[in-house]
Amino acid sequence: MVHPFGDVPRQTPKQFLYSGNSQHHCHPYQSASNTHVVPQRHYTMRSHSPDAGSEDHENHKQYTLDSSAASGCSRHGSPSSQSVHAGSGSPVSHEDSHSGSTNGNGSPVSASCVTEDPTDLKRKLKDLEAVMLGTDPETVNSLEISVADQLSLEPEEWKHMMSMPKGNLKELLIACARAVEHNNSYAIDLMIPELRKMVSVSGEPLERLGAYMVEGLVARLAASGSSIYKALKCKEPRSSDLLSYMHFLYEACPYFKFGYMSANGAIAEAVKGEDRIHIIDFQIAQGAQWISLLQALAARPGGPPFVRITGIDDSVSAYARGGGLELVGRRLSHIAGLYKVPFQFDAVAISSSEVEEGHLGIVPGEAVAVNFTLELHHIPDETVSTANHRDRILRLVKGLSPKVLTLVEQESNTNTAPFAQRFAETLDYYTAIFESIDLALPRDDRERINIEQHCLAREIVNLVACEGEERVERHEVFGKWKARLMMAGFRPSPLSALVNATIKTLLQSYSPDYKLAERDGVLYLGWKNRPLIVSSAWH
């Protein structure tokens, strides 16, 4: 007998979909003016095409000072901000010069004066100049230029500059997100150039993810509305290429197989003994999930049942497929014919949030199974509009009296969290995803770069850059999904031990860092200690 939860043949996943005109240019971000220093900088989106390499191009900067020209000025703490002794020409650090100098009254100059009032700081530095440099106007002017931009900072700006994380990419990313949340243009101007030096599409997992997180921040600053989602300047691949990238991702990591197999197992058990089965799939994509289920149903003692699949999908997946839902229907009909399963496919070419009961063609006597694999988080809820399609769709489905509803979702809290918290959650979640990809594909592998760029980057940018209706990535943790489902009238249907055992067998082909956990009949797939995907069944 064919195993009812056997591995899905190598097909395309349906989580990360690419659409739209990727050549849309973002608007320039003009930083806010400071009282004394006016940074005039344009942030532009970076192309992370493999052909372009990972070399960073420096942003051009111009500073206008109230006391002197800015040419050659340096930031506090940089090697170029050392003083030069007039007699020997040797560099003398700020620390050395402070500890060994006196002011005009013979008192030592405080080494901590940089934290004091800027006006007082100017006076003390003038005293220090007189002691160290004498009255040579050329040398004095050189020192004034090197510190002029620092002297003109407001106390609050000093605080941000001194507290900016140094060398820690994760901390700097989070600090920059906080600056964006609070519209702190000075801190943003400091951090974005530093971050761009630290990230690379061919580096460590965090460096690669950081490249897209930074572009998300710049997109958030640069534009609004639908253009933000398209602001990442990646060359849009042909549909056949995108299909290939998605296939690589499907094979490299077990996330999609875990979702498909666990959902199929729950459906197979729920419709056991039924002669007519109607599967309603929200976001059917390529239809790959149903191949193994058709195979399993074909092996039933006494012959296979009649199977009808209603596939719901919008134009986003149509681009990846290279055509409409009729392609999915022909493909599944062909496979059903090979297995001698009586089959019918109905296409509903609309977005999931637009579905009404009349679209589903419910027929009395059919056992209904409804599938949400990595799709329900795309349906807007009450925080987006009063229509609250997320809960409306669940109530609609409950009204169909299905034998089972299967839910596979990402275990992440990005729906209602404030921006900085959402940014940190996205960073944590996708760090685990990028680490798992890192294990499967070499860092200099062009296909790995394409996978991350075309299958993951756009949803990362959407999470970071977009708000309101334009933010389509709105994940919730399982506890929130459970509350929604139970309010709609559903009750849990624990996944069986057979499904659990089947997933364990699947994971034997992957790294031991993938972890499977079961809690109250719900399966969690994670990377190391981070849960990533959750699968559950309801009736």
Side-chain angles (χ1 to χ4, degrees), residues 207-222:
E207 293 172 345
R208 304 199 310 269
L209 171 59
Y212 302 118
M213 299 290 281
V214 170
E215 298 306 341
L217 289 171
V218 173
R220 186 180 182 90
L221 294 165

Side-chain angles (χ1 to χ4, degrees), residues 272-285:
K272 191 179 300 180
E274 299 288 345
D275 293 328
R276 299 183 67 84
I277 300 169
H278 182 189
I279 298 170
I280 301 171
D281 188 7
F282 282 77
Q283 190 75 9
I284 193 170

Side-chain angles (χ1 to χ4, degrees), residues 179-403:
V180 171
E181 183 176 49
H182 295 290
N183 198 29
N184 187 328
S185 60
Y186 179 78
I188 294 167
D189 289 341
L190 284 176
M191 294 180 192
I192 292 291
E194 289 303 312
L195 283 168
R196 279 183 158 163
K197 296 174 186 175
M198 299 169 71
V199 300
S200 168
V201 296
S202 58
E204 300 279 343
L206 183 59
E207 293 172 345
R208 304 199 310 269
L209 171 59
Y212 302 118
M213 299 290 281
V214 170
E215 298 306 341
L217 289 171
V218 173
R220 186 180 182 90
L221 294 165
S224 62
S226 60
S227 61
I228 297 178
Y229 196 21
K230 302 171 184 177
L232 186 61
K233 290 168 60 177
C234 302
K235 182 180 178 182
E236 187 175 74
R238 295 175 301 176
S239 60
S240 59
D241 291 335
L242 180 57
L243 203 61
S244 174
Y245 304 150
M246 293 162 67
H247 166 73
F248 272 111
L249 182 61
Y250 179 86
E251 291 298 325
C253 307
Y255 305 122
F256 302 108
K257 293 179 183 179
F258 163 79
Y260 291 172
M261 293 170 67
S262 58
N264 284 359
I267 292 172
E269 291 185 354
V271 300
K272 191 179 300 180
E274 299 288 345
D275 293 328
R276 299 183 67 84
I277 300 169
H278 182 189
I279 298 170
I280 301 171
D281 188 7
F282 282 77
Q283 190 75 9
I284 193 170
Q286 312 298 322
Q289 177 173 346
W290 308 116
I291 297 174
S292 62
L293 183 61
L294 288 171
Q295 185 181 14
L297 293 173
R300 264 191 185 183
F306 168 82
V307 177
R308 179 158 69 103
I309 294 180
T310 295
I312 301 166
D313 213 341
D314 55 23
S315 59
V316 175
S317 294
Y319 176 79
R321 283 191 299 265
L325 285 169
E326 67 276 2
L327 296 179
V328 179
R330 286 201 297 268
R331 181 187 186 201
L332 291 177
S333 295
H334 174 72
I335 291 169
L338 293 177
Y339 294 138
K340 296 181 171 52
V341 176
F343 182 79
Q344 177 181 330
F345 181 82
D346 295 332
V348 180
I350 59 176
S351 70
S352 296
S353 60
E354 297 175 316
V355 171
E356 302 286 351
E357 184 174 347
H359 293 123
L360 304 178
I362 300 301
V363 176
E366 290 182 341
V368 175
V370 180
N371 182 66
F372 292 96
T373 297
L374 302 169
E375 169 59 11
L376 198 54
H377 74 271
H378 287 140
I379 301 177
D381 69 347
E382 68 278 4
T383 65
V384 180
S385 74
T386 55
N388 189 4
H389 291 296
R390 187 171 294 185
D391 289 338
R392 180 188 69 82
I393 292 294
L394 289 177
R395 291 193 299 270
L396 183 155
V397 170
K398 185 65 175 75
L400 306 179
S401 301
K403 292 288 184 179

Side-chain angles (χ1 to χ4, degrees), residues 377-447:
H377 74 271
H378 287 140
I379 301 177
D381 69 347
E382 68 278 4
T383 65
V384 180
S385 74
T386 55
N388 189 4
H389 291 296
R390 187 171 294 185
D391 289 338
R392 180 188 69 82
I393 292 294
L394 289 177
R395 291 193 299 270
L396 183 155
V397 170
K398 185 65 175 75
L400 306 179
S401 301
K403 292 288 184 179
V404 66
L405 178 152
T406 50
L407 177 66
V408 179
E409 274 296 342
Q410 293 159 265
E411 183 69 353
S412 183
N413 181 25
T414 63
N415 185 25
T416 59
F419 173 70
Q421 182 180 334
R422 180 172 89 231
F423 185 93
E425 175 78 355
T426 301
L427 183 61
D428 183 63
Y429 185 91
Y430 284 95
T431 295
I433 296 287
F434 275 61
E435 284 180 358
S436 65
I437 294 175
D438 197 55
L439 197 68
L441 295 168
R443 290 180 187 170
D444 58 352
D445 191 316
R446 184 179 295 265
E447 292 302 323

Side-chain angles (χ1 to χ4, degrees), residues 44-83:
T44 57
M45 302 304 298
R46 289 292 176 81
S47 172
H48 291 295
S49 167
D51 297 329
S54 60
E55 180 179 350
D56 287 325
H57 299 284
E58 295 296 331
N59 291 312
H60 297 288
K61 297 180 284 187
Q62 292 181 330
Y63 291 90
T64 303
L65 305 178
D66 61 343
S67 60
S68 61
S71 175
C73 70
S74 60
R75 288 290 183 198
H76 174 76
S78 67
S80 59
S81 64
Q82 293 174 320
S83 306

